[in-house]
């Protein structure tokens, strides 16, 4: 695995777009209608820029998988972050969907400790390579990296297949977060 730079951002967006193009949670976060694909790419761009400011982006050795890792205690408010959030609000999600996403993020943040968090915000493999081990190898590299930082890994998953994959990677559910008719498995790996 290697650490991504801003020069890798389009590759990371392409990987995550392929992995999340049919993800109903992300699609519910963006405005619907024509231009959905463009707004999904804008959302992933938003996530990458946020991660460059408050975490690290990793790309698998084969270039087929990527992960966005946040260190929540490093989050700061800046003019850039405010402009990025405004863009999210106005162009990508719209007011109602942005407020729903922020409410979900706030509920998740309340469950996390204040320090020592290695938060997997996104991890994905291009769709053509899924199920062939690239994502698992990246996760193993992330686990090794997390050990060197003396942090605990956290993430959330809702799709049963993903929850099972995370369990196979050593995660366990420490809380079930119910929002509307959805259940989020808040998971950690010590």
């Amino acid at each position: 695995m290697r650490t991504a730079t801003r020069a890798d951002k389009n590759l990371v967006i392409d990987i995550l777009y392929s992995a999340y193009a049919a993800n109903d949670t992300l699609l519910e976060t963006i405005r619907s209608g024509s231009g959905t694909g463009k707004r999904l790419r804008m959302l992933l761009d938003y996530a990458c820029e946020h991660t460059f400011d408050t975490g690290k982006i990793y790309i698998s050795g084969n270039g087929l998988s990527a992960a966005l890792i946040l260190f929540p205690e490093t989050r700061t408010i800046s003019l850039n972050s405010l402009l990025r959030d405004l863009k999210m609000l106005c162009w990508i999600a719209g007011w109602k969907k942005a407020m729903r996403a922020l409410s979900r993020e706030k509920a998740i943040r309340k469950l996390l400790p204040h320090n020592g968090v290695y938060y997997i915000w996104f991890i994905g493999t291009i769709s053509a390579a899924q199920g062939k081990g690239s994502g698992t190898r990246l996760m193993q590299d992330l686990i090794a990296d997390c050990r060197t930082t003396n942090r605990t890994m956290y993430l959330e998953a809702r799709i049963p297949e993903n929850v099972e994959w995370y369990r196979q990677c050593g995660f366990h559910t420490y809380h079930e977060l119910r929002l509307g008719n959805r259940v989020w498995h808040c998971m950690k790996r010590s």
Side-chain angles (χ1 to χ4, degrees), residues 50-51 53-56 68-77 105 108-121 151-154 156:
H50 180 74
T51 305
D53 287 350
T54 62
K56 289 186 176 182
L68 278 58
I69 308 300
L70 299 178
F71 307 116
E73 71 272 11
T74 66
R75 185 176 185 170
T76 60
I77 297 175
E105 293 299 319
I108 290 167
R109 272 197 311 272
K110 281 184 176 181
L111 298 171
L112 295 174
H114 296 292
N115 291 308
V117 174
Y118 191 103
Y119 183 79
I120 302 175
W121 192 16
R151 294 173 176 266
T152 303
M153 296 180 104
Y154 290 87
E156 291 78 41

PDB file of all heavy atoms in Angstrom, residues 50-51 53-56 68-77 105 108-121 151-154 156:
ATOM      1  N   HIS A  50     -11.470  16.416   2.296  1.00  0.00           N
ATOM      2  CA  HIS A  50     -11.613  16.396   3.760  1.00  0.00           C
ATOM      3  C   HIS A  50     -10.565  15.469   4.374  1.00  0.00           C
ATOM      4  O   HIS A  50      -9.942  15.802   5.395  1.00  0.00           O
ATOM      5  CB  HIS A  50     -13.022  15.961   4.144  1.00  0.00           C
ATOM      6  CG  HIS A  50     -13.256  15.914   5.616  1.00  0.00           C
ATOM      7  ND1 HIS A  50     -13.401  17.045   6.382  1.00  0.00           N
ATOM      8  CD2 HIS A  50     -13.340  14.867   6.471  1.00  0.00           C
ATOM      9  CE1 HIS A  50     -13.577  16.701   7.643  1.00  0.00           C
ATOM     10  NE2 HIS A  50     -13.542  15.378   7.725  1.00  0.00           N
ATOM     11  N   THR A  51     -10.337  14.325   3.745  1.00  0.00           N
ATOM     12  CA  THR A  51      -9.377  13.360   4.268  1.00  0.00           C
ATOM     13  C   THR A  51      -7.947  13.875   4.147  1.00  0.00           C
ATOM     14  O   THR A  51      -7.140  13.663   5.053  1.00  0.00           O
ATOM     15  CB  THR A  51      -9.537  11.993   3.571  1.00  0.00           C
ATOM     16  OG1 THR A  51     -10.897  11.564   3.713  1.00  0.00           O
ATOM     17  CG2 THR A  51      -8.615  10.951   4.174  1.00  0.00           C
ATOM     18  N   ASP A  53      -7.075  16.779   4.583  1.00  0.00           N
ATOM     19  CA  ASP A  53      -6.924  17.730   5.694  1.00  0.00           C
ATOM     20  C   ASP A  53      -6.866  17.057   7.064  1.00  0.00           C
ATOM     21  O   ASP A  53      -6.240  17.588   7.978  1.00  0.00           O
ATOM     22  CB  ASP A  53      -8.083  18.731   5.696  1.00  0.00           C
ATOM     23  CG  ASP A  53      -7.993  19.754   4.580  1.00  0.00           C
ATOM     24  OD1 ASP A  53      -6.945  19.826   3.910  1.00  0.00           O
ATOM     25  OD2 ASP A  53      -8.988  20.469   4.370  1.00  0.00           O
ATOM     26  N   THR A  54      -7.556  15.927   7.229  1.00  0.00           N
ATOM     27  CA  THR A  54      -7.712  15.355   8.571  1.00  0.00           C
ATOM     28  C   THR A  54      -7.359  13.873   8.650  1.00  0.00           C
ATOM     29  O   THR A  54      -7.777  13.210   9.594  1.00  0.00           O
ATOM     30  CB  THR A  54      -9.151  15.546   9.081  1.00  0.00           C
ATOM     31  OG1 THR A  54     -10.035  14.855   8.199  1.00  0.00           O
ATOM     32  CG2 THR A  54      -9.526  16.999   9.173  1.00  0.00           C
ATOM     33  N   GLY A  55      -6.630  13.360   7.690  1.00  0.00           N
ATOM     34  CA  GLY A  55      -6.295  11.944   7.730  1.00  0.00           C
ATOM     35  C   GLY A  55      -5.313  11.567   6.646  1.00  0.00           C
ATOM     36  O   GLY A  55      -4.460  12.372   6.259  1.00  0.00           O
ATOM     37  N   LYS A  56      -5.487  10.348   6.142  1.00  0.00           N
ATOM     38  CA  LYS A  56      -4.619   9.837   5.086  1.00  0.00           C
ATOM     39  C   LYS A  56      -5.447   9.027   4.107  1.00  0.00           C
ATOM     40  O   LYS A  56      -6.432   8.385   4.498  1.00  0.00           O
ATOM     41  CB  LYS A  56      -3.513   8.942   5.649  1.00  0.00           C
ATOM     42  CG  LYS A  56      -2.453   9.682   6.414  1.00  0.00           C
ATOM     43  CD  LYS A  56      -1.329   8.737   6.794  1.00  0.00           C
ATOM     44  CE  LYS A  56      -0.227   9.517   7.489  1.00  0.00           C
ATOM     45  NZ  LYS A  56       0.903   8.639   7.821  1.00  0.00           N
ATOM     46  N   LEU A  68      -9.986   5.748   2.708  1.00  0.00           N
ATOM     47  CA  LEU A  68      -9.896   7.079   3.308  1.00  0.00           C
ATOM     48  C   LEU A  68      -9.944   6.897   4.818  1.00  0.00           C
ATOM     49  O   LEU A  68     -10.925   6.365   5.349  1.00  0.00           O
ATOM     50  CB  LEU A  68     -11.050   7.963   2.851  1.00  0.00           C
ATOM     51  CG  LEU A  68     -10.917   8.646   1.490  1.00  0.00           C
ATOM     52  CD1 LEU A  68     -10.708   7.673   0.352  1.00  0.00           C
ATOM     53  CD2 LEU A  68     -12.106   9.538   1.228  1.00  0.00           C
ATOM     54  N   ILE A  69      -8.880   7.303   5.489  1.00  0.00           N
ATOM     55  CA  ILE A  69      -8.742   7.125   6.934  1.00  0.00           C
ATOM     56  C   ILE A  69      -8.755   8.500   7.596  1.00  0.00           C
ATOM     57  O   ILE A  69      -7.983   9.384   7.224  1.00  0.00           O
ATOM     58  CB  ILE A  69      -7.416   6.410   7.286  1.00  0.00           C
ATOM     59  CG1 ILE A  69      -7.251   5.118   6.484  1.00  0.00           C
ATOM     60  CG2 ILE A  69      -7.323   6.176   8.789  1.00  0.00           C
ATOM     61  CD1 ILE A  69      -8.333   4.092   6.684  1.00  0.00           C
ATOM     62  N   LEU A  70      -9.614   8.678   8.583  1.00  0.00           N
ATOM     63  CA  LEU A  70      -9.691   9.935   9.322  1.00  0.00           C
ATOM     64  C   LEU A  70      -9.129   9.761  10.727  1.00  0.00           C
ATOM     65  O   LEU A  70      -9.255   8.699  11.330  1.00  0.00           O
ATOM     66  CB  LEU A  70     -11.133  10.417   9.422  1.00  0.00           C
ATOM     67  CG  LEU A  70     -11.854  10.716   8.120  1.00  0.00           C
ATOM     68  CD1 LEU A  70     -13.297  11.138   8.403  1.00  0.00           C
ATOM     69  CD2 LEU A  70     -11.139  11.779   7.319  1.00  0.00           C
ATOM     70  N   PHE A  71      -8.529  10.823  11.210  1.00  0.00           N
ATOM     71  CA  PHE A  71      -8.110  10.930  12.603  1.00  0.00           C
ATOM     72  C   PHE A  71      -8.922  12.088  13.181  1.00  0.00           C
ATOM     73  O   PHE A  71      -8.512  13.246  13.111  1.00  0.00           O
ATOM     74  CB  PHE A  71      -6.603  11.193  12.690  1.00  0.00           C
ATOM     75  CG  PHE A  71      -5.784  10.189  11.904  1.00  0.00           C
ATOM     76  CD1 PHE A  71      -5.016  10.594  10.826  1.00  0.00           C
ATOM     77  CD2 PHE A  71      -5.805   8.851  12.237  1.00  0.00           C
ATOM     78  CE1 PHE A  71      -4.269   9.676  10.102  1.00  0.00           C
ATOM     79  CE2 PHE A  71      -5.063   7.919  11.522  1.00  0.00           C
ATOM     80  CZ  PHE A  71      -4.297   8.337  10.451  1.00  0.00           C
ATOM     81  N   PRO A  72     -10.128  11.790  13.717  1.00  0.00           N
ATOM     82  CA  PRO A  72     -11.092  12.839  14.073  1.00  0.00           C
ATOM     83  C   PRO A  72     -10.562  13.946  14.977  1.00  0.00           C
ATOM     84  O   PRO A  72     -10.990  15.094  14.866  1.00  0.00           O
ATOM     85  CB  PRO A  72     -12.222  12.062  14.755  1.00  0.00           C
ATOM     86  CG  PRO A  72     -12.121  10.689  14.187  1.00  0.00           C
ATOM     87  CD  PRO A  72     -10.649  10.452  13.972  1.00  0.00           C
ATOM     88  N   GLU A  73      -9.609  13.641  15.857  1.00  0.00           N
ATOM     89  CA  GLU A  73      -9.121  14.688  16.754  1.00  0.00           C
ATOM     90  C   GLU A  73      -8.315  15.754  16.026  1.00  0.00           C
ATOM     91  O   GLU A  73      -8.050  16.816  16.582  1.00  0.00           O
ATOM     92  CB  GLU A  73      -8.310  14.086  17.910  1.00  0.00           C
ATOM     93  CG  GLU A  73      -6.961  13.531  17.521  1.00  0.00           C
ATOM     94  CD  GLU A  73      -6.986  12.078  17.069  1.00  0.00           C
ATOM     95  OE1 GLU A  73      -8.071  11.512  16.849  1.00  0.00           O
ATOM     96  OE2 GLU A  73      -5.898  11.508  16.937  1.00  0.00           O
ATOM     97  N   THR A  74      -7.945  15.501  14.775  1.00  0.00           N
ATOM     98  CA  THR A  74      -7.182  16.498  14.011  1.00  0.00           C
ATOM     99  C   THR A  74      -8.082  17.441  13.227  1.00  0.00           C
ATOM    100  O   THR A  74      -7.591  18.348  12.565  1.00  0.00           O
ATOM    101  CB  THR A  74      -6.205  15.821  13.032  1.00  0.00           C
ATOM    102  OG1 THR A  74      -6.957  15.117  12.040  1.00  0.00           O
ATOM    103  CG2 THR A  74      -5.262  14.881  13.753  1.00  0.00           C
ATOM    104  N   ARG A  75      -9.379  17.234  13.313  1.00  0.00           N
ATOM    105  CA  ARG A  75     -10.322  18.056  12.550  1.00  0.00           C
ATOM    106  C   ARG A  75     -10.291  19.505  13.032  1.00  0.00           C
ATOM    107  O   ARG A  75     -10.399  19.778  14.230  1.00  0.00           O
ATOM    108  CB  ARG A  75     -11.732  17.509  12.691  1.00  0.00           C
ATOM    109  CG  ARG A  75     -12.727  18.231  11.841  1.00  0.00           C
ATOM    110  CD  ARG A  75     -14.088  17.610  11.942  1.00  0.00           C
ATOM    111  NE  ARG A  75     -14.975  18.280  11.008  1.00  0.00           N
ATOM    112  CZ  ARG A  75     -16.168  17.873  10.712  1.00  0.00           C
ATOM    113  NH1 ARG A  75     -16.647  16.794  11.275  1.00  0.00           N
ATOM    114  NH2 ARG A  75     -16.908  18.539   9.863  1.00  0.00           N
ATOM    115  N   THR A  76     -10.117  20.412  12.085  1.00  0.00           N
ATOM    116  CA  THR A  76     -10.139  21.841  12.389  1.00  0.00           C
ATOM    117  C   THR A  76     -11.068  22.530  11.401  1.00  0.00           C
ATOM    118  O   THR A  76     -11.365  22.001  10.330  1.00  0.00           O
ATOM    119  CB  THR A  76      -8.735  22.460  12.279  1.00  0.00           C
ATOM    120  OG1 THR A  76      -8.254  22.267  10.948  1.00  0.00           O
ATOM    121  CG2 THR A  76      -7.779  21.839  13.282  1.00  0.00           C
ATOM    122  N   ILE A  77     -11.489  23.702  11.768  1.00  0.00           N
ATOM    123  CA  ILE A  77     -12.335  24.497  10.879  1.00  0.00           C
ATOM    124  C   ILE A  77     -11.457  25.558  10.227  1.00  0.00           C
ATOM    125  O   ILE A  77     -10.731  26.274  10.908  1.00  0.00           O
ATOM    126  CB  ILE A  77     -13.500  25.138  11.654  1.00  0.00           C
ATOM    127  CG1 ILE A  77     -14.402  24.031  12.232  1.00  0.00           C
ATOM    128  CG2 ILE A  77     -14.290  26.078  10.751  1.00  0.00           C
ATOM    129  CD1 ILE A  77     -15.502  24.541  13.119  1.00  0.00           C
ATOM    130  N   GLU A 105     -23.760  11.559  10.927  1.00  0.00           N
ATOM    131  CA  GLU A 105     -22.356  11.709  11.305  1.00  0.00           C
ATOM    132  C   GLU A 105     -22.219  12.142  12.765  1.00  0.00           C
ATOM    133  O   GLU A 105     -21.330  11.674  13.471  1.00  0.00           O
ATOM    134  CB  GLU A 105     -21.657  12.722  10.390  1.00  0.00           C
ATOM    135  CG  GLU A 105     -21.530  12.263   8.956  1.00  0.00           C
ATOM    136  CD  GLU A 105     -20.712  10.994   8.797  1.00  0.00           C
ATOM    137  OE1 GLU A 105     -19.681  10.854   9.475  1.00  0.00           O
ATOM    138  OE2 GLU A 105     -21.115  10.133   7.999  1.00  0.00           O
ATOM    139  N   ILE A 108     -22.793   9.170  15.004  1.00  0.00           N
ATOM    140  CA  ILE A 108     -21.636   8.274  14.962  1.00  0.00           C
ATOM    141  C   ILE A 108     -20.488   8.855  15.780  1.00  0.00           C
ATOM    142  O   ILE A 108     -19.842   8.142  16.556  1.00  0.00           O
ATOM    143  CB  ILE A 108     -21.221   8.016  13.500  1.00  0.00           C
ATOM    144  CG1 ILE A 108     -22.278   7.138  12.810  1.00  0.00           C
ATOM    145  CG2 ILE A 108     -19.836   7.380  13.420  1.00  0.00           C
ATOM    146  CD1 ILE A 108     -22.142   7.060  11.304  1.00  0.00           C
ATOM    147  N   ARG A 109     -20.219  10.155  15.624  1.00  0.00           N
ATOM    148  CA  ARG A 109     -19.121  10.797  16.371  1.00  0.00           C
ATOM    149  C   ARG A 109     -19.315  10.689  17.877  1.00  0.00           C
ATOM    150  O   ARG A 109     -18.344  10.569  18.625  1.00  0.00           O
ATOM    151  CB  ARG A 109     -18.980  12.264  15.963  1.00  0.00           C
ATOM    152  CG  ARG A 109     -18.071  12.484  14.784  1.00  0.00           C
ATOM    153  CD  ARG A 109     -17.629  13.921  14.646  1.00  0.00           C
ATOM    154  NE  ARG A 109     -18.686  14.897  14.715  1.00  0.00           N
ATOM    155  CZ  ARG A 109     -19.415  15.324  13.674  1.00  0.00           C
ATOM    156  NH1 ARG A 109     -19.181  14.868  12.487  1.00  0.00           N
ATOM    157  NH2 ARG A 109     -20.357  16.216  13.841  1.00  0.00           N
ATOM    158  N   LYS A 110     -20.572  10.732  18.340  1.00  0.00           N
ATOM    159  CA  LYS A 110     -20.835  10.618  19.775  1.00  0.00           C
ATOM    160  C   LYS A 110     -20.378   9.273  20.330  1.00  0.00           C
ATOM    161  O   LYS A 110     -20.075   9.162  21.513  1.00  0.00           O
ATOM    162  CB  LYS A 110     -22.334  10.782  20.057  1.00  0.00           C
ATOM    163  CG  LYS A 110     -22.824  12.200  20.061  1.00  0.00           C
ATOM    164  CD  LYS A 110     -24.293  12.229  20.441  1.00  0.00           C
ATOM    165  CE  LYS A 110     -24.786  13.643  20.548  1.00  0.00           C
ATOM    166  NZ  LYS A 110     -26.212  13.677  20.946  1.00  0.00           N
ATOM    167  N   LEU A 111     -20.336   8.266  19.477  1.00  0.00           N
ATOM    168  CA  LEU A 111     -19.963   6.921  19.920  1.00  0.00           C
ATOM    169  C   LEU A 111     -18.457   6.698  19.935  1.00  0.00           C
ATOM    170  O   LEU A 111     -17.978   5.726  20.512  1.00  0.00           O
ATOM    171  CB  LEU A 111     -20.613   5.873  19.006  1.00  0.00           C
ATOM    172  CG  LEU A 111     -22.143   5.859  18.997  1.00  0.00           C
ATOM    173  CD1 LEU A 111     -22.650   4.941  17.900  1.00  0.00           C
ATOM    174  CD2 LEU A 111     -22.683   5.441  20.359  1.00  0.00           C
ATOM    175  N   LEU A 112     -17.703   7.588  19.296  1.00  0.00           N
ATOM    176  CA  LEU A 112     -16.259   7.412  19.192  1.00  0.00           C
ATOM    177  C   LEU A 112     -15.550   8.060  20.381  1.00  0.00           C
ATOM    178  O   LEU A 112     -15.982   9.092  20.882  1.00  0.00           O
ATOM    179  CB  LEU A 112     -15.738   8.053  17.899  1.00  0.00           C
ATOM    180  CG  LEU A 112     -16.222   7.441  16.591  1.00  0.00           C
ATOM    181  CD1 LEU A 112     -15.747   8.284  15.409  1.00  0.00           C
ATOM    182  CD2 LEU A 112     -15.749   6.009  16.452  1.00  0.00           C
ATOM    183  N   PRO A 113     -14.442   7.466  20.810  1.00  0.00           N
ATOM    184  CA  PRO A 113     -13.648   8.128  21.850  1.00  0.00           C
ATOM    185  C   PRO A 113     -13.033   9.411  21.299  1.00  0.00           C
ATOM    186  O   PRO A 113     -13.023   9.634  20.079  1.00  0.00           O
ATOM    187  CB  PRO A 113     -12.561   7.098  22.183  1.00  0.00           C
ATOM    188  CG  PRO A 113     -12.523   6.167  21.039  1.00  0.00           C
ATOM    189  CD  PRO A 113     -13.857   6.207  20.368  1.00  0.00           C
ATOM    190  N   HIS A 114     -12.531  10.258  22.162  1.00  0.00           N
ATOM    191  CA  HIS A 114     -11.988  11.547  21.743  1.00  0.00           C
ATOM    192  C   HIS A 114     -10.607  11.445  21.122  1.00  0.00           C
ATOM    193  O   HIS A 114     -10.197  12.319  20.372  1.00  0.00           O
ATOM    194  CB  HIS A 114     -11.974  12.539  22.910  1.00  0.00           C
ATOM    195  CG  HIS A 114     -13.347  12.875  23.401  1.00  0.00           C
ATOM    196  ND1 HIS A 114     -14.246  13.596  22.662  1.00  0.00           N
ATOM    197  CD2 HIS A 114     -13.976  12.548  24.550  1.00  0.00           C
ATOM    198  CE1 HIS A 114     -15.374  13.725  23.327  1.00  0.00           C
ATOM    199  NE2 HIS A 114     -15.249  13.094  24.479  1.00  0.00           N
ATOM    200  N   ASN A 115      -9.857  10.407  21.446  1.00  0.00           N
ATOM    201  CA  ASN A 115      -8.499  10.254  20.932  1.00  0.00           C
ATOM    202  C   ASN A 115      -8.247   8.809  20.536  1.00  0.00           C
ATOM    203  O   ASN A 115      -8.965   7.901  20.957  1.00  0.00           O
ATOM    204  CB  ASN A 115      -7.463  10.671  21.984  1.00  0.00           C
ATOM    205  CG  ASN A 115      -7.497  12.160  22.244  1.00  0.00           C
ATOM    206  OD1 ASN A 115      -7.421  12.955  21.322  1.00  0.00           O
ATOM    207  ND2 ASN A 115      -7.630  12.528  23.513  1.00  0.00           N
ATOM    208  N   GLY A 116      -7.195   8.602  19.753  1.00  0.00           N
ATOM    209  CA  GLY A 116      -6.766   7.260  19.413  1.00  0.00           C
ATOM    210  C   GLY A 116      -7.613   6.550  18.384  1.00  0.00           C
ATOM    211  O   GLY A 116      -7.619   5.325  18.318  1.00  0.00           O
ATOM    212  N   VAL A 117      -8.329   7.315  17.555  1.00  0.00           N
ATOM    213  CA  VAL A 117      -9.236   6.727  16.569  1.00  0.00           C
ATOM    214  C   VAL A 117      -8.565   6.665  15.196  1.00  0.00           C
ATOM    215  O   VAL A 117      -7.989   7.639  14.725  1.00  0.00           O
ATOM    216  CB  VAL A 117     -10.545   7.545  16.476  1.00  0.00           C
ATOM    217  CG1 VAL A 117     -11.434   7.041  15.347  1.00  0.00           C
ATOM    218  CG2 VAL A 117     -11.279   7.516  17.804  1.00  0.00           C
ATOM    219  N   TYR A 118      -8.657   5.515  14.572  1.00  0.00           N
ATOM    220  CA  TYR A 118      -8.221   5.267  13.196  1.00  0.00           C
ATOM    221  C   TYR A 118      -9.512   4.917  12.467  1.00  0.00           C
ATOM    222  O   TYR A 118      -9.962   3.777  12.488  1.00  0.00           O
ATOM    223  CB  TYR A 118      -7.237   4.105  13.191  1.00  0.00           C
ATOM    224  CG  TYR A 118      -6.478   3.840  11.911  1.00  0.00           C
ATOM    225  CD1 TYR A 118      -5.149   4.230  11.788  1.00  0.00           C
ATOM    226  CD2 TYR A 118      -7.048   3.139  10.860  1.00  0.00           C
ATOM    227  CE1 TYR A 118      -4.413   3.944  10.647  1.00  0.00           C
ATOM    228  CE2 TYR A 118      -6.331   2.847   9.724  1.00  0.00           C
ATOM    229  CZ  TYR A 118      -5.008   3.252   9.615  1.00  0.00           C
ATOM    230  OH  TYR A 118      -4.282   2.953   8.484  1.00  0.00           O
ATOM    231  N   TYR A 119     -10.163   5.920  11.887  1.00  0.00           N
ATOM    232  CA  TYR A 119     -11.530   5.788  11.376  1.00  0.00           C
ATOM    233  C   TYR A 119     -11.521   5.505   9.876  1.00  0.00           C
ATOM    234  O   TYR A 119     -11.065   6.333   9.087  1.00  0.00           O
ATOM    235  CB  TYR A 119     -12.309   7.075  11.675  1.00  0.00           C
ATOM    236  CG  TYR A 119     -13.747   7.026  11.259  1.00  0.00           C
ATOM    237  CD1 TYR A 119     -14.684   6.369  12.043  1.00  0.00           C
ATOM    238  CD2 TYR A 119     -14.166   7.626  10.090  1.00  0.00           C
ATOM    239  CE1 TYR A 119     -16.012   6.324  11.668  1.00  0.00           C
ATOM    240  CE2 TYR A 119     -15.494   7.592   9.702  1.00  0.00           C
ATOM    241  CZ  TYR A 119     -16.411   6.935  10.490  1.00  0.00           C
ATOM    242  OH  TYR A 119     -17.718   6.889  10.117  1.00  0.00           O
ATOM    243  N   ILE A 120     -12.009   4.342   9.501  1.00  0.00           N
ATOM    244  CA  ILE A 120     -12.126   3.999   8.080  1.00  0.00           C
ATOM    245  C   ILE A 120     -13.427   4.601   7.566  1.00  0.00           C
ATOM    246  O   ILE A 120     -14.516   4.086   7.824  1.00  0.00           O
ATOM    247  CB  ILE A 120     -12.086   2.479   7.860  1.00  0.00           C
ATOM    248  CG1 ILE A 120     -10.784   1.900   8.420  1.00  0.00           C
ATOM    249  CG2 ILE A 120     -12.242   2.154   6.371  1.00  0.00           C
ATOM    250  CD1 ILE A 120     -10.703   0.387   8.361  1.00  0.00           C
ATOM    251  N   TRP A 121     -13.297   5.717   6.830  1.00  0.00           N
ATOM    252  CA  TRP A 121     -14.471   6.412   6.316  1.00  0.00           C
ATOM    253  C   TRP A 121     -14.953   5.736   5.032  1.00  0.00           C
ATOM    254  O   TRP A 121     -16.142   5.496   4.864  1.00  0.00           O
ATOM    255  CB  TRP A 121     -14.111   7.869   6.076  1.00  0.00           C
ATOM    256  CG  TRP A 121     -15.266   8.783   5.821  1.00  0.00           C
ATOM    257  CD1 TRP A 121     -16.590   8.553   6.067  1.00  0.00           C
ATOM    258  CD2 TRP A 121     -15.200  10.107   5.289  1.00  0.00           C
ATOM    259  NE1 TRP A 121     -17.342   9.647   5.718  1.00  0.00           N
ATOM    260  CE2 TRP A 121     -16.500  10.610   5.241  1.00  0.00           C
ATOM    261  CE3 TRP A 121     -14.153  10.904   4.857  1.00  0.00           C
ATOM    262  CZ2 TRP A 121     -16.792  11.886   4.760  1.00  0.00           C
ATOM    263  CZ3 TRP A 121     -14.444  12.172   4.398  1.00  0.00           C
ATOM    264  CH2 TRP A 121     -15.749  12.650   4.347  1.00  0.00           C
ATOM    265  N   ARG A 151      -3.499   3.148  17.728  1.00  0.00           N
ATOM    266  CA  ARG A 151      -4.892   3.596  17.677  1.00  0.00           C
ATOM    267  C   ARG A 151      -5.805   2.379  17.578  1.00  0.00           C
ATOM    268  O   ARG A 151      -5.347   1.266  17.378  1.00  0.00           O
ATOM    269  CB  ARG A 151      -5.124   4.504  16.469  1.00  0.00           C
ATOM    270  CG  ARG A 151      -4.383   5.827  16.540  1.00  0.00           C
ATOM    271  CD  ARG A 151      -4.515   6.598  15.218  1.00  0.00           C
ATOM    272  NE  ARG A 151      -3.903   7.900  15.311  1.00  0.00           N
ATOM    273  CZ  ARG A 151      -4.547   9.016  15.620  1.00  0.00           C
ATOM    274  NH1 ARG A 151      -5.836   8.990  15.860  1.00  0.00           N
ATOM    275  NH2 ARG A 151      -3.907  10.160  15.679  1.00  0.00           N
ATOM    276  N   THR A 152      -7.102   2.613  17.656  1.00  0.00           N
ATOM    277  CA  THR A 152      -8.118   1.583  17.475  1.00  0.00           C
ATOM    278  C   THR A 152      -8.898   1.903  16.207  1.00  0.00           C
ATOM    279  O   THR A 152      -9.289   3.043  15.992  1.00  0.00           O
ATOM    280  CB  THR A 152      -9.071   1.523  18.681  1.00  0.00           C
ATOM    281  OG1 THR A 152      -8.293   1.284  19.868  1.00  0.00           O
ATOM    282  CG2 THR A 152     -10.105   0.430  18.524  1.00  0.00           C
ATOM    283  N   MET A 153      -9.125   0.875  15.389  1.00  0.00           N
ATOM    284  CA  MET A 153      -9.857   1.056  14.129  1.00  0.00           C
ATOM    285  C   MET A 153     -11.363   1.060  14.393  1.00  0.00           C
ATOM    286  O   MET A 153     -11.869   0.223  15.147  1.00  0.00           O
ATOM    287  CB  MET A 153      -9.538  -0.070  13.150  1.00  0.00           C
ATOM    288  CG  MET A 153      -8.105  -0.114  12.710  1.00  0.00           C
ATOM    289  SD  MET A 153      -7.827  -1.476  11.554  1.00  0.00           S
ATOM    290  CE  MET A 153      -7.749  -0.537  10.033  1.00  0.00           C
ATOM    291  N   TYR A 154     -12.038   1.989  13.722  1.00  0.00           N
ATOM    292  CA  TYR A 154     -13.491   2.093  13.799  1.00  0.00           C
ATOM    293  C   TYR A 154     -14.050   2.259  12.396  1.00  0.00           C
ATOM    294  O   TYR A 154     -13.394   2.814  11.515  1.00  0.00           O
ATOM    295  CB  TYR A 154     -13.908   3.318  14.627  1.00  0.00           C
ATOM    296  CG  TYR A 154     -13.620   3.211  16.097  1.00  0.00           C
ATOM    297  CD1 TYR A 154     -12.383   3.583  16.605  1.00  0.00           C
ATOM    298  CD2 TYR A 154     -14.586   2.733  16.979  1.00  0.00           C
ATOM    299  CE1 TYR A 154     -12.111   3.486  17.960  1.00  0.00           C
ATOM    300  CE2 TYR A 154     -14.325   2.644  18.343  1.00  0.00           C
ATOM    301  CZ  TYR A 154     -13.087   3.021  18.823  1.00  0.00           C
ATOM    302  OH  TYR A 154     -12.833   2.925  20.160  1.00  0.00           O
ATOM    303  N   GLU A 156     -18.309   2.041  10.219  1.00  0.00           N
ATOM    304  CA  GLU A 156     -19.718   1.687  10.251  1.00  0.00           C
ATOM    305  C   GLU A 156     -20.043   0.934   8.968  1.00  0.00           C
ATOM    306  O   GLU A 156     -19.500   1.228   7.910  1.00  0.00           O
ATOM    307  CB  GLU A 156     -20.640   2.917  10.328  1.00  0.00           C
ATOM    308  CG  GLU A 156     -20.569   3.634  11.631  1.00  0.00           C
ATOM    309  CD  GLU A 156     -19.334   4.496  11.749  1.00  0.00           C
ATOM    310  OE1 GLU A 156     -18.966   5.158  10.760  1.00  0.00           O
ATOM    311  OE2 GLU A 156     -18.711   4.463  12.820  1.00  0.00           O
TER     312      GLU A 156
END
